Structure formats: structure tokens, C-alpha cells
Amino acid sequence: MRIAFITNFVQHYRVGVYEELSRLQSVDFIFDSRGSEWYWPKTLGTSKGEFRSIQLGNIGTGKFRIPLQLPYLLWSRKYDAVIKGIAGRASIFLSFVTCKVLKIPFVLYSGLWGKVNTRFHRFAFPIVRFIYRHSDSHIVYGNHVRDFLLSQGVKGDSIFIARNSVDNDTYSRAITEKEYTDARSAFPSAPIRLLYVGRLTPDKGLNYLIQSLSNPIARDAGLLIIGTGEELEAIKSQCNDIKEADRVRFIGHVPTKNLPPYYAAASALVLPSIITDRFREPWGLVINEAFNQGCPVITTTSVGAAADGFVRDGSNGFVVAERDSAALATAIGRLGSEELRLSLGARARRDVARCTHHQMALACNDAVLYAVAARGKKHLI
């Protein structure tokens, strides 16, 4: 079976999934972007893997890039099914319409678990909802996305969960004593070592995390921030304003392959994301990365991995309401118990071991087989 998998670009964490899927089916990965999206740090770049790929040209740039050759490509190569990621305003419309005209089974791959509230998205949502309802099957990040699709009228048996994964072998590797010592020395001197890894942007809720450090309950915590972004100076200013600058350190970008020692040295990873008009955290793959080193996570109900149930409050981490500094401080204070930290971390390791590139590829394959069978039944009617 020949499959076209259309998405924006190759993120480093998707290489293994694409390679696994290529072993199951004959797949052409078709990319309509070069990684210039607003949410993707330039420091991460794009990746390559052992799979067939096609890079499309576009008319226009940014949010309004139009891959005009896409319909011809789908027609000329006579694909048996198409998987299309939800990203790309023009490409999703072109892909969907082309598949319907050519009667190619269409599989929608989505991590969205709520409505985006910008002016454009409010205007376009009726079209998106139509695509939701008329796709032949769906691949989703987790139960939170499944529940959202069900609320939009999608049939439950057409939805397949491909829970997000990272390369577990890379992130669970043994850490040398020197690596651990060097990573630990990067943290502020405090009994509870908190770690944040990611973009420094308003939707990550870092201002609430910084504020939580001034709460007496979290007085034993220090925070290491890894990442870059537009909020860097504002966060530093906030630290100075509440006189907590000595408890927060910034070390900028760290290559993904060098992150495991920091997870090993941390008492917990904190991902305090919030919902904004344009953003709702689809998953939070840094959680998978941290879990692989037995590092528990403190996160919010506005993070996909928590909404799915992958992060479970009191089991492998703590889940608190978004924009709640007091709740964050309470969770941080609980990390003062070494016995609790070790228990949370042990369960985190076990839980993440079930999230693999192979299980993601199998779910994608199952969704394709369902879509092909569903399209065949429609032909018989």
C-alpha cells in the first residue's frame, strides 16, 4: 500500500516514528515547510531520517504558504491513502479536497484538543469541523484529543490514539558521574532542584512559576531554566523584582542529546503552561524526556500530557490548575520528601516505557487500514 504522509517539517522527535512507519508501509513523507513556524525554536532546526521524503515549494510564506503542486502530486502518484497533519492552513484544505475528489482515503493527524481563539481560527472553524467529521479516520495524541473530536461529532471507532513518544533509548541512557556532577553544578544551590526546558514565551506560564518561588512553602527550591525566547528579559526582571534572582539560573539552549544529565540531576521538571488565544499545549514532550531519567513532573491541567492522563497527580508527578502560583508552590514543597520523589520517579520510568515510536507507528497504520476499509465500504454502497 502506498501512503502519502503530509506534514510541515521533520522535528527531531518524529524521525524514529517516521522510520518505524516506513517499515510497516510504503510511505512518502511530504513536507510543506522548512521549520519557520512561530512555535519552533530556530536552535532546533529540522531533521532527516531513513525514509523517503519530498519537499514542496510554496507560494507565499509563514502562515499562508500554499503548496500548489500538492494536488497534482497526490493525483499523479496514485496513493492508496493520505495522512495529513493538522498544521498548515492551505495544505490541509488542499489535501482534504483533493482526496475527496480523487476518492483517496483521508486520515487526519491532530494534537489539537480545543478551539484556537484567534480571529482567523474562529472564522475558519466551521471548515475545520467539517474536515473533522468527514475524514475517514483520525490519529490523535491522546484521550484529550479524542474527547475533543467526539464533542465535534466524530465517530469514536474512527479515532486511533498514537500517544506521543521520544527516543527512549537516548533519554534513558546511563549518566556518568562526571555528567551528573556537571549538570548538578548548573542548578542553584538548594535542596529541591527544579528544571524548566523549553521556549521562553508567555504561553509557558513561567511568570507563575517564578512567583511560586517567593511562597514560603517553596523556600527550599532553586530553578534552572534551559531555553531561549522572547520572555527572557521579562523573566529575569521578575526574578529581580521579587528578590529571587539568586534562586534562578539561565543557561540558554542545550542540544537535545545533552539534556539527560540535567533530568537526572533535577528533583522535578516543571511545565507550567497556560491556555492562550493561539496556544494550548498539545502534549509536552519534555515530560517524556524527564520521565526516562526517573524525573517526576509538575505540570498544569492545560498541558496535553496531563489532560490525557499520562501525568497522574500523586503517581508520577503533580498536576495543578493553570495560573495558580500557590498550587505550584504546594507541589514544589512536597518534593522535600526524598522518599516521595523516588517513588514518583520510579513510576514515571515505568509509564514512559510504554510510549514508544513503534506504538505510534502501529496506531498510524491501524488508522490507515480503517480508513481504506471505510472508503471501500462507501464504494460498495
Side-chain angles (χ1 to χ4, degrees):
M1 187 158 45
R2 297 193 65 195
I3 300 170
F5 192 125
I6 307 166
T7 187
N8 45 8
F9 59 97
V10 191
Q11 303 94 335
H12 62 277
Y13 53 80
R14 286 288 182 254
V15 172
V17 181
Y18 296 165
E19 290 177 340
E20 288 279 353
L21 186 56
S22 291
R23 296 184 187 106
L24 297 173
Q25 298 288 355
S26 176
V27 187
D28 289 341
F29 291 89
I30 302 172
F31 305 111
D32 62 13
S33 169
R34 298 183 183 274
S36 59
E37 282 76 353
W38 64 270
Y39 56 83
W40 189 249
K42 293 181 179 179
T43 50
L44 293 178
T46 60
S47 300
K48 296 180 180 180
E50 295 181 7
F51 47 80
R52 292 196 307 274
S53 64
I54 300 170
Q55 181 68 55
L56 298 179
N58 293 285
I59 293 179
T61 59
K63 298 176 182 178
F64 297 99
R65 59 183 185 272
I66 304 174
L68 289 180
Q69 71 269 48
L70 182 56
Y72 174 77
L73 185 65
L74 297 182
W75 170 78
S76 63
R77 298 208 169 200
K78 296 179 171 51
Y79 291 107
D80 299 298
V82 168
I83 302 173
K84 175 65 181 81
I86 194 74
R89 295 177 178 180
S91 63
I92 188 171
F93 179 77
L94 281 174
S95 302
F96 178 79
V97 171
T98 302
C99 285
K100 292 304 174 184
V101 170
L102 298 177
K103 294 182 172 54
I104 303 172
F106 182 83
V107 182
L108 184 65
Y109 188 7
S110 179
L112 295 181
W113 55 292
K115 297 178 182 178
V116 182
N117 199 34
T118 66
R119 181 181 300 177
F120 172 83
H121 286 91
R122 288 195 299 271
F123 170 79
F125 187 74
I127 300 172
V128 174
R129 182 167 52 202
F130 183 88
I131 293 174
Y132 284 152
R133 292 177 177 177
H134 292 85
S135 296
D136 295 294
S137 67
H138 302 78
I139 305 164
V140 299
Y141 286 6
N143 291 307
H144 57 311
V145 186
R146 182 180 189 276
D147 291 344
F148 174 66
L149 290 182
L150 290 174
S151 74
Q152 300 305 312
V154 174
K155 295 188 302 179
D157 61 353
S158 72
I159 303 173
F160 296 81
I161 294 178
R163 195 161 279 108
N164 262 319
S165 64
V166 297
D167 184 348
N168 289 341
D169 289 340
T170 294
Y171 288 100
S172 65
R173 69 175 177 83
I175 306 302
T176 67
E177 184 176 348
K178 183 179 186 307
E179 286 179 315
Y180 181 85
T181 301
D182 290 346
R184 182 162 180 167
S185 67
F187 287 81
S189 179
I192 300 173
R193 296 178 299 279
L194 303 177
L195 176 65
Y196 172 83
V197 179
R199 295 179 292 115
L200 308 186
T201 53
D203 44 65
K204 294 297 184 175
L206 282 165
N207 54 322
Y208 299 99
L209 175 57
I210 300 300
Q211 185 62 45
S212 74
L213 296 179
S214 64
N215 191 312
I217 300 173
R219 63 184 179 276
D220 289 334
L223 171 64
L224 176 65
I225 295 179
I226 296 177
T228 60
E230 64 197 70
E231 286 284 286
L232 176 60
E233 294 307 318
I235 295 168
K236 287 182 176 180
S237 178
Q238 182 186 3
C239 292
N240 291 326
D241 291 343
I242 63 175
K243 298 180 173 56
E244 300 295 351
D246 62 329
R247 295 171 61 197
V248 183
R249 290 184 183 175
F250 302 80
I251 60 172
H253 172 68
V254 172
T256 54
K257 66 179 181 179
N258 296 337
L259 287 173
Y262 295 96
Y263 293 128
S267 304
L269 174 81
V270 188
L271 183 59
S273 301
I274 62 175
I275 295 173
T276 64
D277 285 346
R278 71 173 184 171
F279 183 77
R280 181 186 298 237
E281 191 81 63
W283 185 260
L285 277 167
V286 289
I287 293 171
N288 296 60
E289 295 173 6
F291 275 9
N292 269 291
Q293 284 295 328
C295 176
V297 169
I298 300 173
T299 191
T300 72
T301 52
S302 299
V303 171
D308 165 70
F310 180 57
V311 182
R312 301 186 309 283
D313 187 55
S315 176
N316 53 22
F318 299 115
V319 180
V320 303
E322 69 161 49
R323 305 173 191 265
D324 192 336
S325 297
L328 282 169
T330 299
I332 291 167
R334 294 181 66 184
L335 293 170
S337 166
E338 182 179 6
E339 181 181 358
L340 177 59
R341 290 202 309 267
L342 292 175
S343 175
L344 296 172
R347 281 191 289 269
R349 281 185 186 273
R350 291 197 296 269
D351 291 338
V352 77
R354 296 193 293 268
C355 295
T356 66
H357 291 335
H358 185 63
Q359 68 84 20
M360 286 192 73
L362 286 176
C364 293
N365 190 56
D366 288 345
V368 168
L369 295 178
Y370 178 96
V372 170
R375 174 62 57 179
K377 289 178 182 178
K378 290 177 183 177
H379 287 169
L380 293 175
I381 295 174

